[in-house]
């Protein structure tokens, strides 16, 4: 009988199998975590978990079996088929349960604290079941202390390995998890083997349901089967990785196509906001080389007036870790400067730290040029409107003066034609003509006054200030209280409206006109109800609604009511048709928009959406009446 010991080659083989199987299985199981993030379809989760369980369970079992074959006891040994199969099923079952628990949808943090002990206990149970399957002419006794140590090794190492595999994604951490798991399985096995004491007994026989062969033959057979399983697992990983790579390439292609569709270029900066590495997009528009745009060298291509503000705004954004939104002029390689809108966002690591910045420069030169032309056109129209309306006042005053003289002449004609048979007819026609002239003059005077008012508003510069919108609109409603009472109407202003920063006079004119119109066009058949409310839209805009139960407006007239000097519906209320046109111009000048929903007989709702804060562009923008 030879001296008991271990075959070094089989020991090394068993540990290698444990590590290789651990890496493959942990990678397969980690892919099931994608179900929790919505990155893979739920139907594939069970396949990944099953593959991980078979790979890990089979690898652990193979390591255990080869490890026992490595032990040379100096006596013939066989294995009970039933218990051996049972030990394999235990290994697959407990690892599958552990992976399913950690990788399930909605798994909470520290789920490995339950899955790790489960896997460790399963490994230990598999080991001692496999030991019980040994059939030899002798008995096995165990040292309780070493048995407990082997179980502790399995539990602690399994928990740690699961934490590494399911909480991190780098290759180094995956390798560390596999190394730790492989050592845990091997450590548990050989500690358990050290806990066993074998005593010979010539009267103990293997039995009928056993298998025996040379240790090397069994080891090679088990190793071959194990590596076949691991090869299938690695092949599945490779196929899935190829699929993911294809999706990433397609996504990148779509993203780059989208950037090109909006005349933009893509660039990246490091976590500190410095431009590093190749930036083909930036080079394409500026002609700068990598050495020229490195770090903050890109600022050399920015217009001198915009360079310092761009760097200051960028540094503030990097420090605040927020989205960068800016605009500046860039010197292009063809010569000259073009306007670019910039938007950049931080890309975060799992621990919340910034990995890099991804930004887009979008060419808005054509838009800015069109806006400049439009502003110039508006200014010319406003000057023209002011001149024309001012010059029209002089002949209108003359007409009004001569009309007064004609009224006096009418009295003289009455005396001169006294007793004439046609005197009454002539006087009636004369009076009717004077009435038409007076009405036309009065209307013309109101229209000229309205044009002058719009022209003066167009030259006024806005002065943004914080506004308590509930208080502002409440004061406007109180100013119309007499009109509301006379029509038995109730005006409700929702308290606690979001504050905005805007020109007070412009805001008062907007909502003053809307409240006045709502009261003016109520339905006399029912009590009037007017409600002003507001709702925050994200963090940058507020939507205000002025709703009434008045006459309503035909759908075909929803657009024309905002046109200058255009009105809709029954013309039984005074007005020149400039109120809503003025409101729309003011809303646009403040950087917002106005919409209308209305139905005859049910009422109207005017919705005004305004920015929370005044932008540089709209704070100084003149009022546009030409675009209405």
């Amino acid at each position: 009988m030879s001296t008991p010991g271990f075959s070094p080659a089989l020991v090394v083989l068993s540990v290698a199998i444990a590590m290789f199987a651990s890496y493959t299985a942990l990678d397969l199981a980690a892919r099931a975590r994608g179900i929790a993030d919505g990155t893979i379809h739920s139907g594939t989760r069970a396949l990944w978990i099953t593959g991980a369980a078979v790979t890990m369970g089979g690898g652990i079992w193979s390591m255990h079996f080869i490890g026992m074959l490595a032990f040379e006891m100096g006596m013939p040994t066989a294995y009970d088929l039933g218990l051996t199969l049972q030990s394999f099923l235990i290994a697959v079952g407990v690892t599958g349960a552990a992976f399913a628990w950690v990788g399930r949808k909605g798994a909470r943090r520290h789920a490995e604290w339950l899955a790790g002990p489960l896997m460790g206990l399963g490994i230990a149970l598999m080991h001692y079941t496999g030991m019980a399957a040994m059939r030899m002419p002798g008995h096995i006794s165990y040292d309780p202390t070493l048995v407990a140590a082997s179980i502790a090794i399995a539990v602690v190492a399994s928990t740690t390995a699961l934490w590494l595999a399911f909480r991190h994604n780098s290759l180094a951490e995956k390798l560390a998890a596999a190394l730790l798991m492989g050592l845990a399985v091997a450590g548990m096995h050989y500690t358990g083997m050290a806990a066993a004491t074998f005593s010979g007994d010539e009267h103990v026989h293997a039995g009928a349901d056993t298998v025996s062969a040379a240790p090397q033959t069994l080891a090679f057979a088990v190793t071959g089967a194990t590596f076949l399983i691991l090869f299938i697992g690695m092949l599945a990983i490779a196929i899935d990785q190829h699929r993911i790579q294809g999706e990433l390439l397609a996504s990148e292609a779509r993203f780059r196509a989208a950037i090109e569709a909006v005349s933009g270029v893509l660039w990246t900066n490091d976590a500190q906001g410095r431009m590093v590495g190749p930036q083909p997009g930036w080079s394409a528009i500026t002609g700068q080389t990598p050495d020229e745009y490195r770090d903050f060298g890109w600022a050399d291509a920015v217009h001198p007036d915009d360079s310092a503000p761009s760097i200051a705004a960028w540094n503030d954004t990097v420090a605040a870790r927020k989205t960068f939104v800016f605009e500046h002029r860039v010197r292009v390689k063809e010569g000259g400067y073009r306007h670019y809108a910039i938007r950049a966002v931080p890309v975060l690591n799992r621990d919340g730290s910034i990995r890099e910045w991804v930004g887009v420069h979008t060419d808005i030169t054509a838009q800015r040029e069109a806006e400049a032309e439009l502003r110039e056109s508006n200014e010319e129209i406003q000057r023209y409107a002011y001149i024309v309306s001012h010059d029209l006042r002089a002949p209108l005053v003359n007409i009004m003066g001569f009309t007064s003289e004609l009224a006096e002449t009418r009295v003289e004609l009455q005396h001169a034609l006294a007793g004439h048979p046609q005197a009454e007819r002539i006087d009636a026609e004369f009076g009717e003509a004077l009435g038409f002239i007076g009405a036309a003059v009065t209307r013309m005077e109101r229209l000229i006054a309205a044009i002058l008012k719009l022209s003066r508003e167009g030259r006024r510069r806005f002065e943004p200030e914080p506004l308590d919108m509930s208080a502002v609109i409440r004061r406007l409603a109180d100013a119309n209280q007499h009109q509301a009472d006379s029509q038995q109407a109730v005006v409700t202003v929702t308290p606690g409206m979001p504050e905005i920063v805007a020109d007070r006079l412009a805001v008062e004119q907007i909502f003053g006109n809307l409240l006045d119109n709502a009261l003016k066009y109520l339905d006399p058949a029912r009590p009037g109800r007017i409600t002003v409310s507001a709702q925050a839209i994200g963090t940058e805009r507020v939507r205000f609604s002025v709703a009434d139960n008045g006459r309503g407006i035909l759908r075909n007239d929803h657009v024309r009511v905002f046109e200058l000097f255009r009105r809709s519906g029954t013309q039984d209320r005074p007005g020149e048709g400039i109120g809503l046109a003025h409101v729309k111009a003011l809303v646009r000048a403040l950087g917002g928009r106005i919409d209308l929903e209305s139905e005859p007989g049910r009422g109207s709702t005017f919705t005004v959406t305004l920015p929370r804060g005044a932008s540089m562009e709209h704070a100084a923008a003149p009022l546009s009446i030409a675009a209405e």
Side-chain angles (χ1 to χ4, degrees):
M1 181 179 294
S2 62
T3 303
F6 288 93
S7 169
L10 293 181
V11 169
V12 172
L13 179 62
S14 68
V15 175
I17 286 177
M19 292 181 180
F20 188 28
S22 296
Y23 179 84
T24 306
L26 290 174
D27 191 282
L28 287 169
R31 293 173 188 274
R33 182 181 54 188
I35 187 64
D37 303 328
T39 57
I40 63 172
H41 191 272
S42 58
T44 63
R45 174 177 178 269
L47 294 177
W48 290 121
I49 292 295
T50 301
V54 172
T55 303
M56 177 68 94
I60 292 172
W61 180 85
S62 297
M63 179 271 150
H64 156 80
F65 199 79
I66 294 173
M68 289 195 301
L69 292 175
F71 185 61
E72 298 171 347
M73 294 178 292
M75 63 181 72
T77 306
Y79 296 91
D80 182 272
L81 289 176
L83 287 176
T84 301
L85 178 60
Q86 185 178 344
S87 67
F88 173 79
L89 295 178
I90 290 174
V92 173
V94 294
T95 53
F99 287 147
W101 177 259
V102 179
R104 75 190 190 284
K105 185 176 182 179
R108 298 181 179 179
R109 291 177 59 87
H110 308 306
E112 63 274 2
W113 293 114
L114 176 61
L118 173 64
M119 181 178 287
L121 292 174
I123 292 172
L125 179 60
M126 178 275 303
H127 171 80
Y128 289 106
T129 302
M131 293 286 288
M134 296 179 68
R135 295 292 180 263
M136 58 189 173
H139 298 281
I140 305 175
S141 59
Y142 293 97
D143 182 336
T145 302
L146 289 178
V147 169
S150 68
I151 296 174
I153 291 173
V155 169
V156 172
S158 297
T159 303
T160 306
L162 287 177
W163 180 81
L164 284 172
F166 282 89
R167 288 296 180 267
H168 303 278
N169 287 318
S170 71
L171 177 61
E173 287 163 333
K174 284 183 179 180
L175 290 173
L179 177 64
L180 182 62
M181 194 70 201
L183 291 176
V185 174
M188 182 272 145
H189 173 83
Y190 289 109
T191 302
M193 292 293 289
T197 300
F198 300 89
S199 58
D201 187 343
E202 296 180 355
H203 301 288
V204 178
H205 300 283
D209 297 329
T210 61
V211 60
S212 63
Q216 289 80 5
T217 303
L218 285 175
F220 284 133
V222 171
T223 301
T226 302
F227 274 106
L228 178 61
I229 294 174
L230 296 181
F231 173 77
I232 294 173
M234 293 299 291
L235 181 62
I237 293 173
I239 293 173
D240 187 60
Q241 199 65 33
H242 184 268
R243 176 190 62 81
I244 293 174
Q245 186 69 21
E247 292 178 353
L248 289 175
L249 291 175
S251 177
E252 181 180 0
R254 285 194 297 268
F255 180 70
R256 292 188 178 278
I259 296 299
E260 293 177 2
V262 295
S263 302
V265 295
L266 180 69
W267 49 266
T268 58
N269 280 11
D270 65 10
Q272 288 72 41
R274 299 170 301 186
M275 189 171 280
V276 295
Q279 304 292 336
W282 183 255
S283 292
I285 62 174
T286 65
Q288 284 186 310
T289 65
D291 289 336
E292 290 174 333
Y293 61 64
R294 184 177 292 116
D295 291 338
F296 286 92
W298 55 265
D300 294 337
V302 178
H303 192 282
D305 294 341
D306 301 339
S307 179
S310 297
I311 294 176
W314 175 240
N315 287 334
D316 291 343
T317 299
V318 172
R321 298 161 54 89
K322 60 183 181 182
T323 299
F324 181 66
V325 179
F326 203 72
E327 180 181 326
H328 60 205
R329 290 161 290 178
V330 176
R331 183 183 65 248
V332 296
K333 62 182 180 181
E334 293 83 3
Y337 289 90
R338 297 188 68 83
H339 289 264
Y340 283 89
I342 317 152
R343 187 176 183 87
V345 295
V347 180
L348 304 180
N349 294 311
R350 284 190 172 273
D351 60 3
S353 62
I354 296 178
R355 182 167 69 244
E356 64 179 348
W357 291 81
V358 176
V360 176
H361 265 61
T362 304
D363 192 336
I364 57 170
T365 304
Q367 175 185 338
R368 289 292 174 259
E369 291 176 349
E371 290 174 353
E373 293 177 1
L374 180 59
R375 282 195 298 270
E376 184 178 352
S377 175
N378 283 332
E379 290 171 0
E380 290 180 358
I381 291 175
Q382 288 160 3
R383 288 194 298 270
Y384 178 75
Y386 179 78
I387 293 170
V388 170
S389 58
H390 183 272
D391 290 348
L392 284 177
R393 294 295 294 273
L396 187 62
V397 169
N398 290 334
I399 293 174
M400 294 174 66
F402 283 114
T403 302
S404 298
E405 291 184 9
L406 288 174
E408 295 176 357
T409 303
R410 179 188 178 190
V411 177
E412 296 177 1
L413 285 175
Q414 288 175 344
H415 290 293
L417 296 175
H420 192 281
Q422 300 295 324
E424 184 175 350
R425 180 187 61 78
I426 293 173
D427 181 67
E429 292 179 355
F430 200 103
E432 183 179 11
L434 286 177
F436 286 146
I437 293 173
V441 167
T442 300
R443 176 170 175 75
M444 179 65 72
E445 197 279 332
R446 288 201 300 264
L447 290 176
I448 292 174
I451 294 174
L452 281 172
K453 178 182 178 182
L454 288 175
S455 179
R456 293 191 186 100
E457 288 287 346
R459 296 193 300 275
R460 184 173 67 83
R461 296 294 175 177
F462 292 157
E463 298 179 1
E465 61 178 287
L467 300 178
D468 181 344
M469 291 303 295
S470 294
V472 169
I473 298 177
R474 183 71 264 172
R475 284 194 296 270
L476 294 173
D478 292 342
N480 287 279
Q481 189 62 48
H482 177 74
Q483 183 181 357
D485 292 340
S486 65
Q487 297 182 257
Q488 298 182 342
V490 176
V491 179
T492 302
V493 179
T494 303
M497 292 184 184
E499 294 186 358
I500 64 172
V501 177
D503 183 83
R504 179 180 294 274
L505 179 58
V507 170
E508 289 178 347
Q509 288 176 326
I510 291 170
F511 290 98
N513 269 287
L514 294 178
L515 286 173
D516 182 67
N517 274 3
L519 289 168
K520 186 185 297 184
Y521 297 105
L522 288 172
D523 190 336
R526 56 178 179 269
R529 296 288 183 270
I530 300 171
T531 303
V532 184
S533 59
Q535 177 186 6
I537 307 300
T539 59
E540 299 181 355
R541 306 184 77 79
V542 180
R543 180 181 297 148
F544 299 92
S545 296
V546 180
D548 64 63
N549 64 340
R551 300 179 182 180
I553 302 172
L554 290 170
R555 181 170 297 278
N556 292 339
D557 290 335
H558 284 191
V559 175
R560 65 176 293 174
V561 295
F562 292 107
E563 297 176 1
L564 195 61
F565 304 128
R566 299 294 295 272
R567 305 176 69 190
S568 67
T570 304
Q571 306 299 311
D572 59 349
R573 294 289 188 273
E576 288 76 38
I578 66 170
L580 288 178
H582 189 208
V583 166
K584 185 172 184 178
L586 286 170
V587 170
R588 282 185 172 179
L590 292 177
R593 61 171 295 162
I594 183 169
D595 299 286
L596 169 63
E597 292 182 7
S598 184
E599 184 177 342
R602 299 180 65 88
S604 304
T605 299
F606 286 88
T607 302
V608 178
T609 304
L610 296 174
R612 281 181 176 265
S615 66
M616 293 288 294
E617 176 184 351
H618 293 102
L623 181 66
S624 168
I625 62 173
E628 302 309 315

